[in-house]
Amino acid sequence: MMYVKIKVGNFDITEVWDGVFYKKLSKYPEISEWEMRNIIEFVEYEKINGRKCDIECDNKDLLNKIIKGIDNKELYIKTNRPVLIKECTACPYRKGCVTDFVCHTTSLENAKKIFNSGKLLSAVKARNLSAQELAKENRNAANDPLDYFDYIMFAWGNCQAGDRLVMERKLKRFPNEEDLSINFTPGIRFYFKYDVLKNHPNVVYDGVLPMKIKDELLLSEWVYKIVIPKQYQREFQNIIPSNLSDKIIYVDNDCKDIWDWSEKVYKIIESCN
C-alpha cells in the first residue's frame, strides 16, 4: 500500500505536490461542509487508486473533526458547491473561484488537434504515450501519479491556472511576472457548465480539481463555449467543425496581464447565459 499525505492548514493555495495534498481552508481552523467534502473525495479517490492517506493538522480539534467527517462521509459527500469558493484569494477581481463554469485550457497547437478529432482527450490518449512515459517527463514537476494522466483536467471558469500552464509548457520553465503580463499569450479555453458536465458518465471528483473526465469528452455534446484569442482567428476559422461553429467566441487580448484576461473572458462567458 502506497501512502500520501494530507496537510490541512492556512496555506496560500490548495494543491497536490510531490505526494502531498496541501488543503487550504478559507477560515482556518474552521472547516466548511464543502471543504470537508473535498477532503473526503481526495481520500476516496486515493483509495480507489491503491493509496492510503495520512492526515496532518496542527489544530488537534480540527484534525479530530476531519477524521470523524471521513468516517461519516455520507453527511458531506453530496454538499452543494458554493457560488464562490474563497480558499484561493489570488484573483484580484473575484477574490475566489466562481463555480458556475469549469474550463479546460490548452495551447494553439493542441486546440487544432482537438478540433480535428472533435474531442478533448486525456494526456495518455492525446499524446499516445503510456502513463509511465508521461510521468517521467520533466514537465511532471509535481510528480503526479500515473492515474492522473488518464484524465482531462478542469479548473474553475475564472481561474488563470490553465493559461499559466500553457505558458509554462511554451517556455519550458515557470513563467515570471513579465511572462504573465507584457509577454502573455493566452491559450484556447473550452468552457462547460458545471451542472451539465457533472452528468458526464466518466466524471470523477478527486478533491483537488472541480472535476475531471476519464479518457475523452465529445465536444459537440458537452461544450458550452470556446474562447479563442482574436489574433488566431484566421488560423482557426476554416478548421472549426460545423457542429461547433456556434460555440466559438473570438476575444481580443487587449489586457494588461493574465488576471485581466481571465476576468475579461469570464465576464463574456457569464453574459452568454
Side-chain angles (χ1 to χ4, degrees):
M1 175 73 72
M2 289 181 62
Y3 283 82
V4 294
K5 276 186 182 176
I6 301 174
K7 291 189 176 184
V8 181
N10 191 23
F11 305 113
D12 290 336
I13 57 171
T14 289
E15 65 175 344
V16 176
W17 194 269
D18 202 15
V20 181
F21 178 33
Y22 297 92
K23 180 60 181 173
K24 174 183 169 66
L25 302 185
S26 54
K27 293 182 179 178
Y28 183 83
E30 296 176 34
I31 185 168
S32 69
E33 291 187 358
W34 173 258
E35 290 165 340
M36 188 75 85
R37 172 184 157 169
N38 292 161
I39 292 172
I40 291 166
E41 284 172 339
F42 183 82
V43 171
E44 292 295 303
Y45 177 84
E46 294 298 300
K47 187 190 298 180
I48 288 167
N49 288 283
R51 298 183 291 270
K52 189 173 181 179
C53 297
D54 287 331
I55 305 173
E56 295 180 7
C57 180
D58 291 340
N59 186 295
K60 298 306 175 188
D61 290 339
L62 174 58
L63 180 60
N64 290 332
K65 186 174 183 179
I66 292 168
I67 292 169
K68 187 177 178 182
I70 292 169
D71 289 338
N72 295 276
K73 62 184 180 183
E74 67 281 353
L75 299 177
Y76 301 98
I77 205 66
K78 292 186 178 178
T79 299
N80 291 325
R81 61 183 170 81
V83 174
L84 183 71
I85 297 172
K86 297 182 179 179
E87 290 171 28
C88 176
T89 55
C91 174
Y93 294 96
R94 307 283 178 139
K95 304 297 183 187
C97 303
V98 190
T99 65
D100 286 338
F101 298 93
V102 294
C103 178
H104 177 82
T105 308
T106 193
S107 66
L108 177 72
E109 296 75 21
N110 286 343
K112 290 177 180 177
K113 294 174 185 174
I114 289 166
F115 285 124
N116 186 49
S117 69
K119 299 174 181 179
L120 293 182
L121 299 173
S122 68
V124 166
K125 284 183 169 286
R127 298 187 56 208
N128 200 25
L129 293 171
S130 70
Q132 287 84 354
E133 290 172 297
L134 292 168
K136 290 174 183 174
E137 291 184 336
N138 289 337
R139 64 163 67 186
N140 185 21
N143 197 24
D144 289 336
L146 300 183
D147 47 273
Y148 275 40
F149 300 98
D150 288 323
Y151 294 91
I152 304 153
M153 311 291 194
F154 296 89
W156 294 114
N158 68 312
C159 185
Q160 44 69 52
D163 274 309
R164 185 183 290 264
L165 186 58
V166 168
M167 286 294 289
E168 183 183 320
R169 297 270 163 82
K170 177 183 173 183
L171 298 166
K172 294 183 172 58
R173 59 172 171 79
F174 290 116
N176 57 37
E177 194 172 323
E178 200 171 85
D179 298 322
L180 300 177
S181 53
I182 58 173
N183 294 327
F184 172 59
T185 54
I188 285 75
R189 292 190 176 207
F190 295 82
Y191 274 94
F192 302 81
K193 286 188 173 181
Y194 181 96
D195 287 336
V196 173
L197 195 58
K198 72 180 183 182
N199 297 312
H200 193 283
N202 293 339
V203 70
V204 169
Y205 302 96
D206 65 2
V208 185
L209 300 169
M211 61 176 70
K212 55 191 188 184
I213 304 289
K214 191 164 187 182
D215 295 334
E216 62 180 50
L217 182 153
L218 190 62
L219 289 174
S220 60
E221 291 186 9
W222 298 96
V223 77
Y224 178 64
K225 296 293 178 185
I226 303 167
V227 174
I228 301 175
K230 202 162 191 175
Q231 69 197 78
Y232 304 139
Q233 184 168 351
R234 283 189 178 183
E235 291 186 61
F236 279 96
Q237 58 189 9
N238 294 324
I239 63 170
I240 304 291
S242 57
N243 61 1
L244 295 177
S245 58
D246 63 335
K247 308 288 187 183
I248 305 297
I249 307 173
Y250 294 104
V251 179
D252 187 27
N253 177 23
D254 55 358
C255 303
K256 67 178 185 289
D257 58 22
I258 191 172
W259 302 104
D260 211 20
W261 169 255
S262 294
E263 177 64 12
K264 178 177 182 176
V265 169
Y266 197 73
K267 276 184 176 175
I268 291 170
I269 295 300
E270 285 180 317
S271 71
C272 295
N273 263 347

